[in-house]
Amino acid sequence: MYSIVLSCILGFLILESQHGVQSWSLNNFLMTGPKAYLTFSQSVAAGAMHGMEECRHQFLWDRWNCPESSLPMFTQNALERANRETSFVHAISSAGVMYTLTRNCSLGDFDKCGCDDTKKGDQGGEGWKWGGCSDNVNFGERVSKMFVDALVTGKDAWAVMNLHNNEAGRKAVRQTLKRTCKCHGVSGSCTTQTCWKQLSEFRVIGDFLKRKYGNGLLVDYVRGGLEKANSASEQALSPLSKKDLVYLEASPDYCRVNVSAGSMGTVGRECVRGTKKSKDEQGKWEKQSCKRLCSTCGLKVKKTKVIEKSSCNCKFHWCCSVKCDECQQEVTKLTCQT
Ligand SMILES: *[C@@H]1O[C@H](CO)[C@@H](O)[C@H](O)[C@H]1NC(C)=O
Ligand SMILES: *[C@@H]1O[C@H](CO)[C@@H](O)[C@H](O)[C@H]1NC(C)=O
């Protein structure tokens, strides 16, 4: 079973490499073998990308929509802003790295790393004990901190802010951990249970951090540390929490292009009308997207008919290719225009 799957994958990679794509990963795979290929850095890269995908999902209908240029790994420190959006990018990519490392550890991808069984056998509460495979968040936290925080150099306001937000991202992974249990007893009577702590879906962490972003705090850099700005107010007197997202400067006007401030403007952005989804937060913003991205930015909503090509009638041929037809469809697109 596994060897079929593996040779399918290898066959696929060889096919790909003939067209010049993926040749690096193919060579790496063949030369070092699967075991050596599985290193922390693979997970770190995958985790950071996972974080950025989630960022794009969370900001799909926002004026700032998490452009590629905002990925911390692709930005030169001096060019990076220190606003509310920067705080989100750091938190979500740091959370992504911790998440992937933790998950991979549980999956047995690394030597010397497995489930967290420090509490195994201990009574957890009324009628349940710790057992099963708890996700090893301590491992994920430690290793991700090593990789991600190392990208922040210097000791200035910018560095202190980013380290704070990286930490807030890791805290979010911990705060969203859930307890999963299994019943024991005669024919599932559930007289006793064993429970373990498990990572939530990454979407849950994305939603959680989006709310943190909404409640982000403007801070000042004072004597090597951060303090809430406008310290006159009552709330500002309470100490800064490590769980909060913090930023040092106001966001630019994302309606307009301002490259140095990290704004691409909303001209050309697509919006939608009359969607049925509106139950969740995303749906709410999607429904208001034309207003939010175009009208309130002083732009018009322009309708264009475009021919969209897509794959259809796909058939799977054993083993391993997929053959599809190309179908054309006329669709109406709405975009923001001057
Ligand atoms: C870890 O997880 C990511 C994504 O979930 C995956 O791409 C990667 O191959 C996994 N394993 C290792 C050892 O990196
Ligand atoms: C671009 O953004 C910066 C920082 O927010 C601001 O100071 C500057 O005035 C903006 N430039 C334009 C042309 O709007």
Side-chain angles (χ1 to χ4, degrees):
M1 168 69 180
Y2 280 126
S3 67
I4 292 177
V5 174
L6 189 67
S7 63
C8 272
I9 294 172
L10 279 174
F12 179 69
L13 284 174
I14 287 163
L15 198 76
E16 284 284 74
S17 80
Q18 284 165 354
H19 301 284
V21 200
Q22 293 264 354
S23 54
W24 178 84
S25 62
L26 171 75
N27 289 340
N28 215 33
F29 194 80
L30 290 181
M31 274 159 45
T32 57
K35 198 69 188 172
Y37 186 68
L38 306 179
T39 57
F40 293 152
S41 54
Q42 273 293 316
S43 294
V44 171
M49 293 320 274
H50 196 34
M52 289 312 279
E53 272 164 36
E54 183 58 26
C55 182
R56 279 191 284 279
H57 169 84
Q58 292 291 339
F59 287 86
L60 195 58
W61 305 113
D62 283 59
R63 288 177 191 162
W64 177 82
N65 62 345
C66 202
E68 204 68 58
S69 58
S70 53
L71 184 71
M73 287 78 185
F74 295 161
T75 327
Q76 275 164 355
N77 295 0
L79 289 176
E80 207 186 23
R81 306 310 312 174
N83 57 39
R84 199 187 275 268
E85 289 69 36
T86 319
S87 76
F88 185 84
V89 165
H90 276 265
I92 196 82
S93 43
S94 155
V97 172
M98 172 170 164
Y99 188 88
T100 306
L101 283 165
T102 305
R103 162 71 59 79
N104 284 358
C105 166
S106 299
L107 291 173
D109 279 353
F110 310 124
D111 294 339
K112 294 181 192 152
C113 182
C115 311
D116 174 10
D117 49 18
T118 44
K119 291 196 211 165
K120 203 160 191 158
D122 291 359
Q123 198 70 29
E126 183 93 26
W128 66 274
K129 275 184 182 169
W130 286 104
C133 175
S134 282
D135 278 323
N136 199 336
V137 282
N138 292 332
F139 165 82
E141 186 166 43
R142 193 159 36 83
V143 180
S144 68
K145 194 175 156 79
M146 213 166 70
F147 275 88
V148 177
D149 286 3
L151 295 169
V152 180
T153 51
K155 281 189 174 141
D156 52 359
W158 183 91
V160 177
M161 169 194 143
N162 288 331
L163 290 175
H164 182 105
N165 292 322
N166 287 350
E167 179 70 24
R170 291 188 291 265
K171 290 258 182 277
V173 177
R174 269 190 193 280
Q175 282 176 280
T176 51
L177 283 173
K178 57 184 182 188
R179 206 170 72 209
T180 311
C181 299
K182 196 175 145 191
C183 281
H184 305 281
V186 184
S187 61
S189 60
C190 217
T191 44
T192 56
Q193 293 186 46
T194 45
C195 305
W196 57 95
K197 55 180 169 26
Q198 204 179 21
L199 295 167
S200 289
E201 291 293 306
F202 198 63
R203 177 58 34 83
V204 172
I205 297 169
D207 291 345
F208 182 90
L209 282 173
K210 183 77 187 283
R211 287 194 297 277
K212 287 274 174 199
Y213 159 88
N215 298 322
L217 295 169
L218 180 65
V219 293
D220 289 327
Y221 179 66
V222 186
R223 288 182 295 274
L226 301 173
E227 282 177 11
K228 290 181 193 170
N230 319 312
S231 310
S233 78
E234 278 286 306
Q235 180 239 4
L237 292 173
S238 60
L240 203 59
S241 161
K242 285 188 175 174
K243 295 168 188 165
D244 286 329
L245 296 194
V246 299
Y247 57 94
L248 292 159
E249 60 181 26
S251 302
D253 176 0
Y254 286 114
C255 287
R256 266 153 269 289
V257 180
N258 185 335
V259 176
S260 65
S263 173
M264 305 297 155
T266 60
V267 173
R269 283 284 295 277
E270 207 180 320
C271 64
V272 286
R273 273 185 186 143
T275 48
K276 287 179 213 90
K277 290 187 287 172
S278 67
K279 276 171 256 118
D280 57 0
E281 199 75 354
Q282 272 296 326
K284 188 175 97 192
W285 296 130
E286 182 174 353
K287 239 181 167 174
Q288 297 176 14
S289 60
C290 289
K291 190 175 163 198
R292 213 172 181 213
L293 301 177
C294 312
S295 327
T296 52
C297 283
L299 298 170
K300 296 191 193 80
V301 180
K302 200 177 160 208
K303 265 190 198 178
T304 38
K305 288 204 192 305
V306 289
I307 305 288
E308 246 180 24
K309 288 179 186 169
S310 60
S311 310
C312 56
N313 307 325
C314 294
K315 284 197 186 74
F316 181 76
H317 294 268
W318 187 261
C319 172
C320 286
S321 71
V322 177
K323 290 210 173 75
C324 302
D325 295 336
E326 190 182 88
C327 294
Q328 296 194 348
Q329 204 185 1
E330 195 186 63
V331 290
T332 305
K333 280 213 163 128
L334 304 174
T335 51
C336 303
Q337 297 297 343
T338 49

